[in-house]
Amino acid sequence: MTFSDFRLDSRLLEGLQSMGFEKPTPIQQQAIPVILQNKDVIACAQTGTGKTAAYILPVLHKMMQTSHRHLNTLVIAPTRELVQQIDQQIEGFAYFTGISSIPVYGGGDGAAWDQQKKALQQGADIVVATPGRLIALLAAGTTVFDHLQHLILDEADRMLDMGFYDDIVKIVSYLPKERQTLLFSATMPPKIRALASRILRQPEEINIAIAKPAAGINQQAYMVYDAQKEKLLNHILKTHTWNSILIFASTKETVKKLDALFRRAGITARAFHSDLEQTERETILRAFKNKQLSIIIGTDVLSRGIDVEGISMVINWDVPPDPEDYVHRIGRTARAETTGTAITFVNERDQRRFQGIENLIGYPIPKMPLPAECGEGPVYSPQTRREEGFRKNRKGPRRKHFRPRFNK
Ligand code: ADP
Ligand code: MG
């Protein structure tokens, strides 16, 4: 498939050629035809997948067919840097079309403000703006989007993270109701859906799946206080059948701590992290492959490289910062059509990250009740957590001289 399959105006194709774009990316393949049909779109695809061209090419094409282009399209993005980037990309695509775009963002002095105002009045076709500055312009009444046809929210998830929900709703209240609205985002948390249902009309949904966990992985999660994790690990090792286990932790320090813990318990496990020499790492992996070693404790350094068959279990001592690392970590088990178990320990602080993983993979991970011997764990409530200040004062059960016993 090539860009000419979309029957885009030849001047756009020329622009694409000069930018070195040959093949449309998956999000572009799916979004461009739908946008050309004037439908509202809610699209979710990872960073770096080509979302800008996915929304701006069809919009430029449509603009070239109308005579009235002044303030035709509004793109809203969370930060000044993004606004500049998007504006530059548009300039490239629109190079042979005569369509103009201007970036609008806060900061700078009064001169910048006057300049932006003037440029808006004099006839920019596309405005790329941050929410804050745009509201100021709209409230000043100098910029009127009466003929706006396209509204695009780019990086919508980040805008909501930055607290722009109300601003966006406010901006939309200044815009004509008859318009096409496109929402692009890297993730699709529930808040985005709420926003979409408020400002989009019967949107077409486009989701570009990223690497998803294999179906053979039995995923489980435990809501647990840090102080309960050792006991929980002990319980899992005792009650599950396994032959090889990878235990992941986010920091070297935690890996070393766990390593010491296993040593004290007399269990042969090896720590794997970036402090080790390459030869040491290779020795550990070889022993693991040969089944001379059954447990490796490692940071995410381990999750990318290791290719060993028959790992029966992956345990995440904590929730990885990057949701994609979760997919990498648990992908170490259940390779090649086998089955495996992936268990994640989620403390109160990690609940939001954990929710990020569920958003990424697109379904909830079963939450298991803590075994009785661990006592009660935290409640899973990732969204309200921030507001619930009282939680800060709540700690898990204190264990003074707890020693894990690993009886395997
Ligand atoms: P996203 O918004 O999804 O993070 P961008 O739209 O910023 O991604 O695109 C990421 C990079 O890929 C940019 O440098 C862009 O120029 C380039 N790019 C996008 N689509 C294509 C394509 N079809 N062919 C070649 N390069 C592309
Ligand atoms: Mg982008």
Side-chain angles (χ1 to χ4, degrees), residues 3 20-25 28 46-53 89:
F3 281 103
F21 282 35
E22 284 166 13
K23 251 178 69 72
T25 64
Q28 291 160 5
Q46 284 302 108
T47 303
T49 50
K51 292 192 285 296
T52 317
Q89 284 206 61

Side-chain angles (χ1 to χ4, degrees), residues 35-165:
I35 298 173
L36 285 173
Q37 288 167 30
N38 297 318
K39 289 189 179 143
D40 281 8
V41 167
I42 172 166
C44 182
Q46 284 302 108
T47 303
T49 50
K51 292 192 285 296
T52 317
Y55 62 71
I56 213 64
L57 289 174
V59 163
L60 286 170
H61 176 83
K62 291 202 289 166
M63 286 175 78
M64 291 170 78
Q65 329 224 299
T66 62
S67 47
H68 197 107
R69 292 180 193 160
H70 180 54
L71 299 182
N72 173 286
T73 296
L74 173 61
V75 182
I76 309 176
T79 65
R80 168 192 179 136
E81 289 70 31
L82 276 163
V83 161
Q84 288 171 328
Q85 255 178 48
I86 294 164
D87 175 64
Q88 279 160 15
Q89 284 206 61
I90 294 176
E91 226 162 82
F93 296 129
Y95 191 79
F96 298 103
T97 67
I99 292 172
S100 67
S101 121
I102 63 159
V104 167
Y105 45 78
D109 46 17
W113 164 264
D114 287 339
Q115 202 186 340
Q116 287 174 9
K117 232 166 54 178
K118 212 159 128 202
L120 283 168
Q121 282 157 0
Q122 284 176 349
D125 302 322
I126 302 176
V127 178
V128 189
T130 53
R133 175 54 65 103
L134 187 60
I135 285 205
L137 281 164
L138 289 168
T142 44
T143 310
V144 181
F145 285 99
D146 278 352
H147 301 286
L148 182 101
Q149 291 188 321
H150 311 104
L151 168 66
I152 299 149
L153 304 177
D154 197 359
E155 305 237 2
D157 50 352
R158 244 175 104 190
M159 289 206 275
L160 297 195
D161 278 348
M162 290 168 74
F164 285 136
Y165 187 103

